[in-house]
Amino acid sequence: MTHVKTIRYLGLGSMLLAILILCYLFSFSLLQPSRAASRDSYAVLILSMDSGEFPRSDFDALFSKMHIVPSSLVVDPGISSLDQQNQIASAAARTGSDHVILLAWKDACIPALTASRTLPGMEAVVLLSPTLARADAIEPFGTHSPDIPTAIFDVNTKYAASLFERLSGEDTTLFPGLRDKGILTDTVHISPDGTRYLSQWSLPGDTEIQHNLLAYLPQVQIKIAEYIDTFVTGTSSADAPDYRSPVAGIHVMKILAAVVFASGLLLFFSSIPKGKSGAGKSGSPVEGAEDAVIRRIPVSATRAKYFRFSRVMSLVTLLSAVLFLTVLIVLQYVKPGLVVAFLAAWPVVYYAVCAVFMIRFFPEARIVPQIRYKRMLFSGLLAFLTVAGILMFRAMYTFSFLRPVSGWSGALLLLCVVLVFACVWIRLASDTVFQSDPEDSSSGKVTGNGNRLISIWIPYAGILLFSILAGFQLLAAKSLFLLAGLLISLWIRHIFRRTSGADGFAALVFSAVYLIIAFG
C-alpha cells in the first residue's frame, strides 16, 4: 500500500511541476506591461484575422527577451478596409509607443501593409505567411509604399517573391539569394537600400500546411528577432544578443512540461487498483474497492429491455456516423471551412443519439454513493490540475487566449458543455449498471462496448482517409489532431471514472477536456 501511495503522490507531484513550468511560460504573456515605458520605446502589434491557432506565447517570450512590449489584435474580416485601419490605429495607440512594429499573420498582412502607409508611428512591417484574397490586392503598394522597412517571411511561393519584387523593384530571379548552411534554412533576398527583406523557407507538405507551420518553427522566430535587431532597431551586430538559446529554452521547457504532465497522469493511473467485490473480516470492502458505490441491480426484464435498446442504439449510431461522414465529404467541396468545426462537434451528436435511447434507463442507474470525502477531494484536485494543464497547453497555441466568450458564441459553447456532460453521464451510468456483472456490481466493469465504440471513430477515420487520398493535407492534419484529442479525452475519462467512482464526475471532466482541445 505504501508503494502504491508513493507512485500516486509522485504522479501528482509531476503534474504540479508541469503546471509550474507552464505558469512560468505564461508569465511572459500575462505579466507583460500593456504599454511601452515611453513614447520612444519600441512595441510590437501582432495582427491576425483568426483567434485560433498561433504560437502566441512563443512570440511573447521572444519579444520579452528583446525588451519590446507585445500586444495583439484580431482584425475583423467582416468590416470594410477603412474600419480595419481604425481598428489597427486604436490598437497601436494603446501600446503607448511612437515606434510600433506590425507583425501580421496570414490574412492580416494586406490590412497591415495598408495601415503602415497612412498611420503615424509605424516603424516597420513584418509579414508572416501572407495570403492574398484577391490578385490585385498588392497593386496599391510599391517601392516607397509603405515608406518603412518591410519584411516577408514565407515558404517558397511565387506570391511571396512577387510581393517582394513589387515592394523592392528587384527581380529575385536575376541573383541568387543568401542561404545559410543547415537542414532547415531559408533563402534571403535584401533590397539594395535595406528596406525590403524576403525570407523563404523550404518545408515538407503542401503550401497550406507550410503556411500554418511556419510561425511555429524556432528558426523562423529567431530570424524575425534578428531582422528586427538589424534592420529596425539598428542594434549593431556586436551588441545584438544571441536569440538561439532563449528560443530553444522556451521550446525545451514546453516539451519538458508535456512529458512531465503525461508521466504524472500515467503514474497516477497506474496506482489505481481495479475494484474487487467482497468484504474483509470487518465487513468493509477490500483494499482497492473501499470507496465502491452500491448500485441497484435491475431486474431481469429491465435488463433484457436495456440490451434490446442497446442493439438498436448500436445500429442507429453506426448509420448516424456513416451519414455524418457523407455530410463532411460533401461539405469539403461545398463549404470547406466548416468541415473541421462539424467534425469537432461529432461527439456531441454521437452521445446525444446514445442519450435518446439510454435516458429511459437513467433512473434505474441511480446510485447511492459511498465515496469517502478524501477520495473526492483528491479526484477534484487531480481534475483541476488536468483541466488547467490542458487548458494552458491549448492556450499557448491560440492567438487570443484571453478573448472573451460572449453573445451567441458563448451561449453555444455553454450549451455544448452542458449537453455533452449530460449525455455522457446518461450513457456511462446506464452502461455501468446494466453491463456490469450482476454477481459483482461494485467492480463497475463494463463489457460489450466494442461494437458501439466503433461508431464514434468512423467520421474521424473516414475523413482522415478521404483527405489523404484526395490530397487535402491540411484537413488530414486537423482530422488527426481531433482524433488524438478524442482519444486523450476518452482515456482521461476512464482515469477519472476509476479514480472518483462517479460516472457524473468522469463525464464532467471528459466534456471539459474535449471541448478545450477541440474548440479552445
Side-chain angles (χ1 to χ4, degrees):
M1 187 63 181
T2 304
H3 179 64
V4 171
K5 283 187 175 180
T6 301
I7 296 176
R8 186 173 301 173
Y9 287 112
L10 183 60
L12 189 63
S14 298
M15 295 181 67
L16 281 170
L17 177 60
I19 294 295
L20 291 176
I21 295 174
L22 292 174
C23 287
Y24 170 74
L25 295 175
F26 258 101
S27 66
F28 293 109
S29 299
L30 300 179
L31 301 181
Q32 279 276 11
S34 57
R35 293 176 61 87
S38 67
R39 305 298 299 184
D40 293 330
S41 300
Y42 285 91
V44 171
L45 179 59
I46 309 174
L47 304 176
S48 175
M49 282 192 175
D50 183 10
S51 60
E53 288 78 8
F54 183 79
R56 171 69 188 279
S57 61
D58 290 355
F59 282 95
D60 284 343
L62 174 64
F63 292 131
S64 175
K65 299 295 183 182
M66 299 176 67
H67 306 289
I68 297 177
V69 175
S71 59
S72 65
L73 172 67
V74 179
V75 181
D76 189 350
I79 60 178
S80 66
S81 177
L82 180 60
D83 290 334
Q84 289 177 346
Q85 305 316 303
N86 292 334
Q87 267 192 315
I88 297 173
S90 299
R94 287 194 295 269
T95 63
S97 171
D98 289 334
H99 304 280
V100 179
I101 303 167
L102 298 180
L103 172 60
W105 163 245
K106 296 176 71 174
D107 291 336
C109 289
I110 295 300
L113 275 176
T114 304
S116 65
R117 297 168 60 211
T118 57
L119 298 182
M122 300 295 105
E123 193 70 20
V125 184
V126 178
L127 309 179
L128 184 56
S129 297
T131 54
L132 185 62
R134 303 187 320 274
D136 60 347
I138 62 174
E139 289 185 0
F141 312 108
T143 55
H144 297 284
S145 181
D147 196 18
I148 56 175
T150 304
I152 304 168
F153 291 84
D154 201 1
V155 294
N156 285 323
T157 62
K158 184 182 293 185
Y159 165 63
S162 299
L163 180 57
F164 173 78
E165 291 172 353
R166 176 78 180 183
L167 296 174
S168 65
E170 301 293 321
D171 190 345
T172 57
T173 62
L174 293 180
F175 302 99
L178 305 174
R179 187 174 181 88
D180 292 333
K181 294 181 179 179
I183 299 176
L184 189 61
T185 59
D186 62 333
T187 301
V188 176
H189 294 270
I190 306 174
S191 64
D193 60 359
T195 61
R196 302 295 187 252
Y197 182 98
L198 172 64
S199 172
Q200 288 189 293
W201 298 76
S202 297
L203 303 177
D206 64 10
T207 303
E208 200 172 7
I209 287 184
Q210 294 173 7
H211 269 125
N212 285 272
L213 182 63
L214 194 64
Y216 296 84
L217 298 179
Q219 295 91 330
V220 175
Q221 297 168 11
I222 294 169
K223 281 285 186 178
I224 290 175
E226 291 175 346
Y227 167 78
I228 292 175
D229 265 355
T230 305
F231 294 95
V232 181
T233 62
T235 306
S236 64
S237 58
D239 297 331
D242 186 357
Y243 293 107
R244 290 175 295 181
S245 296
V247 170
I250 292 296
H251 286 271
V252 168
M253 291 183 71
K254 284 186 176 182
I255 296 172
L256 178 63
V259 171
V260 172
F261 186 81
S263 300
L265 267 178
L266 289 170
L267 284 171
F268 190 90
F269 184 55
S270 67
S271 70
I272 306 172
K274 295 182 179 180
K276 300 291 182 181
S277 62
K281 294 181 180 180
S282 61
S284 61
V286 298
E287 177 184 325
E290 66 273 16
D291 296 328
V293 294
I294 299 176
R295 301 179 183 270
R296 182 162 63 85
I297 304 302
V299 296
S300 300
T302 307
R303 189 179 181 89
K305 185 178 180 181
Y306 162 82
F307 282 108
R308 286 198 303 271
F309 274 82
S310 180
R311 285 191 290 271
V312 176
M313 183 186 72
S314 298
L315 178 61
V316 173
T317 53
L318 180 62
L319 293 176
S320 300
V322 174
L323 178 61
F324 199 86
L325 175 60
T326 305
V327 172
L328 291 176
I329 294 175
V330 173
L331 274 177
Q332 178 59 26
Y333 293 100
V334 177
K335 199 75 172 177
L338 296 177
V339 175
V340 175
F342 271 62
L343 182 60
W346 163 243
V348 182
V349 178
Y350 171 81
Y351 282 109
V353 172
C354 294
V356 170
F357 289 91
M358 294 292 105
I359 194 169
R360 69 192 65 214
F361 302 106
F362 189 60
E364 299 290 335
R366 65 180 181 267
I367 63 174
V368 181
Q370 288 187 342
I371 304 173
R372 294 180 180 178
Y373 74 93
K374 289 184 178 180
R375 179 177 182 178
M376 286 306 301
L377 286 176
F378 204 78
S379 299
L381 175 61
L382 182 65
F384 172 77
L385 294 177
T386 301
V387 173
I390 292 175
L391 179 62
M392 284 194 282
F393 273 117
R394 190 70 176 92
M396 283 195 300
Y397 295 102
T398 303
F399 181 82
S400 181
F401 49 80
L402 295 178
R403 65 189 187 276
V405 179
S406 58
W408 286 107
S409 60
L412 183 61
L413 182 61
L414 179 61
L415 177 63
C416 287
V417 172
V418 174
L419 186 61
V420 173
F421 162 64
C423 294
V424 173
W425 187 12
I426 291 170
R427 168 71 184 272
L428 290 181
S430 301
D431 284 352
T432 300
V433 172
F434 289 95
Q435 291 197 24
S436 296
D437 185 357
E439 301 299 325
D440 186 10
S441 62
S442 66
S443 68
K445 183 180 180 181
V446 180
T447 58
N449 277 330
N451 58 331
R452 288 186 294 170
L453 284 177
I454 294 175
S455 300
I456 199 171
W457 304 109
I458 288 177
Y460 295 95
I463 203 67
L464 178 61
L465 180 62
F466 160 76
S467 57
I468 293 174
L469 295 177
F472 300 114
Q473 295 186 19
L474 182 61
L475 177 61
K478 292 185 176 181
S479 302
L480 187 61
F481 171 78
L482 290 175
L483 179 62
L486 179 62
L487 183 63
I488 292 171
S489 303
L490 290 173
W491 176 62
I492 289 176
R493 188 191 74 182
H494 181 57
I495 290 178
F496 283 95
R497 199 178 187 188
R498 284 180 55 185
T499 303
S500 66
D503 294 323
F505 188 77
L508 181 62
V509 175
F510 169 82
S511 61
V513 169
Y514 179 76
L515 291 175
I516 288 172
I517 294 176
F519 297 101

